[in-house]
Amino acid sequence: ATDSASNCLVEVRAAAGGDEASVFAGDLVGMYEKFARARGWRWTLHDRSATDCGGVSTAFAEVEGPGSYAALRFESGVHRVQRVPKNDVRIHTSTASVVVLPGADETDEALDEGDIRVDTFRASGAGGQHVNTTNSAVRVTHLPTGTVVSIQDERSQHRNKAKALELLRQRVLGAKAAAAAAARSEIRGKLAGSGERAERIRTYNAPHDRVTDHRCSLTAPGVPRVLSGEGLEDIVAALARMEADERLR
């Protein structure tokens, strides 16, 4: 799995800022979905934990298409938004963390079955109500890394388990490949970040209607335009140019 990987895994988590952080996390998920679909890539949302305010606490999606990881890998890090939430008059600052991992292809190594714990539970819908009476949903955990994948897409426990195990393999091997790439390249390490709160990569400033990427010092006009996925094109292109320039030095 490298920068040329034809698929990738995108995880978004609400961080500091309470309800507004979860709303922002939901906005980021929507941004990536629109960006992916506009490029003709396949977008599959595998896990989404909704909050009462209409946002998401965590979301996990798979993007399939040529160049998907090469473009979206720049999104890893902490994103910050400054805006006035609904039913408020003050500007709030909230954050969400994004992790993008290269997908592991079918020829990559398998995980040791002894390192995996499988749990089953009832699938639930919006609001937490159970949508069926059987334990068809599956949660798999990679014990050495603590990586967890939950799938409840199918009514069949067998199909959910197979899908969860494959996604777990991709997440564990993708993280391993990303860490190896970062170790080989200081540039990639700087761009990806570790997801720590201090590593803010981008600020979405609604009062001034601008988005600033702190790595390439690009400021793009129009927060709604960027969150629609359209303005993200300019930022991704600027980061790719910056990385290419750094490699030539």
Side-chain angles (χ1 to χ4, degrees):
T2 64
D3 294 354
S4 61
S6 61
N7 65 312
C8 64
L9 308 175
V10 179
E11 182 179 27
V12 180
R13 289 182 176 273
D19 288 347
E20 178 60 16
S22 71
V23 172
F24 179 48
D27 291 342
L28 292 178
V29 173
M31 176 178 74
Y32 296 133
E33 178 178 4
K34 292 166 189 170
F35 179 76
R37 294 190 186 282
R39 288 195 167 201
W41 298 331
R42 182 181 179 185
W43 168 273
T44 306
L45 186 63
H46 289 294
D47 193 18
R48 181 180 183 274
S49 299
T51 59
D52 293 339
C53 63
V56 298
S57 58
T58 61
F60 173 56
E62 182 177 14
V63 183
E64 300 171 84
S68 56
Y69 178 65
L72 289 171
R73 64 196 169 95
F74 294 115
E75 295 304 298
S76 289
V78 176
H79 297 241
R80 179 178 72 168
V81 67
Q82 296 170 315
R83 63 186 176 187
V84 178
K86 292 180 180 179
N87 305 319
D88 206 333
V89 295
R90 299 169 300 159
I91 296 174
H92 284 231
T93 298
S94 307
T95 60
S97 65
V98 177
V99 175
V100 180
L101 300 173
D105 61 41
E106 294 182 1
T107 62
D108 282 340
E109 62 188 284
L111 300 180
D112 188 333
E113 291 185 6
D115 290 339
I116 300 172
R117 185 181 72 228
V118 179
D119 300 302
T120 59
F121 58 99
R122 290 187 183 182
S124 60
Q129 72 271 24
H130 295 305
V131 296
N132 61 36
T133 56
T134 61
N135 291 350
S136 61
V138 175
R139 180 187 302 107
V140 292
T141 304
H142 185 243
L143 300 174
T145 62
T147 306
V148 179
V149 171
S150 298
I151 295 292
Q152 57 179 34
D153 298 349
E154 309 281 352
R155 289 187 176 274
S156 162
Q157 182 188 116
H158 178 74
R159 286 196 294 269
N160 280 333
K161 180 181 176 181
K163 186 181 294 185
L165 287 171
E166 173 56 22
L167 286 170
L168 182 72
R169 185 182 75 89
Q170 292 201 31
R171 288 183 76 174
V172 171
L173 296 181
K176 183 178 177 181
R184 290 193 304 268
S185 168
E186 181 182 350
I187 300 163
R188 288 195 186 95
K190 180 177 69 176
L191 288 172
S194 66
E196 292 297 324
R197 182 172 180 174
E199 292 190 41
R200 184 181 70 248
I201 63 166
R202 190 177 301 149
T203 296
Y204 304 71
N205 187 310
H208 294 97
D209 199 27
R210 68 190 182 204
V211 177
T212 300
D213 193 284
H214 304 292
R215 297 162 294 179
C216 62
S217 300
L218 172 74
T219 296
V223 172
R225 180 173 176 269
V226 173
L227 289 177
S228 74
E230 182 182 353
L232 186 58
E233 291 276 0
D234 299 335
I235 298 174
V236 167
L239 288 165
R241 286 193 300 270
M242 184 192 78
E243 185 185 55
D245 290 344
E246 290 281 353
R247 281 176 169 167
L248 291 173
R249 291 178 184 176

